[in-house]
Amino acid sequence: MNLSDNKINFSDLLSSTEASSLLQHLTQLGSYTENSANNKLHFDKDEYLKEWRSQWQELSSTQSDDTYTAELVVDGERLATDWLIQLFNTLFINQQVILVRSNDEPEYFPAQNNKPARIEFAHGFFASALHELSHWCMAGDARRQLPDFGYWYAPDGRTEAQQQAFERVEIKPQALECLFTLACGRHFQVSQDNLFADFDTSNSTFASDVYQQVESYIAKPHTLPRDAKTLLTALLSVCTSLSEINA
């Protein structure tokens, strides 16, 4: 891999065999999935996993059929997003948080007035949902009490200094997003989110920085944030075929 090339192939990071190995390592880290009061897998784990796996296999077979029209592909994406919402909202039901479609831009609203926190992702897109979940996992308990996790954000068209600051805080969230995306068997590409930059961006090391962070998480899964471990374990368990899991 050429680390200076921003068009890095992230799919090289997690083959089917490597995904199975990562799942085994995550499972061996401890009994957080079985014993934690923070996620729904504490109850009826096998039942939920079996249901989610069956639904994902059906969705995947539909999406891989080349005879489907563009309209049906869009519908498949909507169903896949429905599936992800159901999985997350069930998995983390005891944390009083829900994943919600937004018709506009993403935003996070902390819990208040006995209402759960809301992770709203952009325009109903599956990829946007994974991105916002990555920020939620990265934020931790303290930042989850703040609107948009208390993160600084400047819109597209940032200055060079602002872009550098943006990329520094995006490395770990996008590394998590990469792992979640690959666990679902999908293609991942980094987002510098600065289409209208008026400066030279060719020297940015952002893509390679994200790649290296993903490599680090795979090599040392104990360094993953608590809820990222839970979500990644579920996604790998559900989206990796049973033959690969048992290999």
Side-chain angles (χ1 to χ4, degrees), residues 7-73:
K7 297 190 181 301
I8 291 171
N9 184 2
F10 284 86
S11 62
D12 291 341
L13 286 163
L14 207 62
S15 66
S16 297
T17 301
E18 290 163 335
S20 178
S21 176
L22 178 57
L23 175 58
Q24 291 174 6
H25 284 127
L26 285 168
T27 303
Q28 292 167 3
L29 282 175
S31 56
Y32 57 86
T33 299
E34 289 79 7
N35 297 331
S36 171
N38 290 326
N39 65 77
K40 187 65 176 179
L41 285 187
H42 177 59
F43 307 101
D44 302 323
K45 174 181 130 179
D46 291 339
E47 178 183 345
Y48 280 107
L49 289 179
K50 182 178 180 181
E51 180 181 353
W52 290 329
R53 184 180 296 117
S54 175
Q55 293 172 356
W56 184 253
Q57 288 174 344
E58 182 176 351
L59 288 167
S60 298
S61 64
T62 299
Q63 293 168 348
S64 63
D65 191 331
D66 294 336
T67 65
Y68 276 73
T69 65
E71 182 178 350
L72 288 176
V73 170

Side-chain angles (χ1 to χ4, degrees), residues 10 43 46 58 66 88-90 109 129 142 145 174-175 186-187 189 196 217 229:
F10 284 86
F43 307 101
D46 291 339
E58 182 176 351
D66 294 336
F88 178 84
N89 290 349
T90 304
F109 301 91
Q145 308 306 311
Q174 291 205 28
R186 291 176 169 237
H187 175 72
Q189 186 172 347
F196 302 107
Y217 280 144
K229 292 175 186 174

Side-chain angles (χ1 to χ4, degrees), residues 123-169:
H123 309 293
F125 295 147
F126 189 93
S128 177
L130 290 182
H131 183 79
E132 298 311 314
L133 290 181
S134 300
H135 275 291
W136 179 79
C137 289
M138 204 72 238
D141 295 333
R143 285 187 176 271
R144 290 175 188 176
Q145 308 306 311
L146 304 173
D148 272 343
F149 310 115
Y151 288 140
W152 163 88
Y153 181 77
D156 195 347
R158 290 180 285 272
T159 66
E160 185 171 3
Q162 287 176 326
Q163 181 62 22
Q164 290 173 351
F166 168 83
E167 291 181 4
R168 282 195 299 271
V169 300

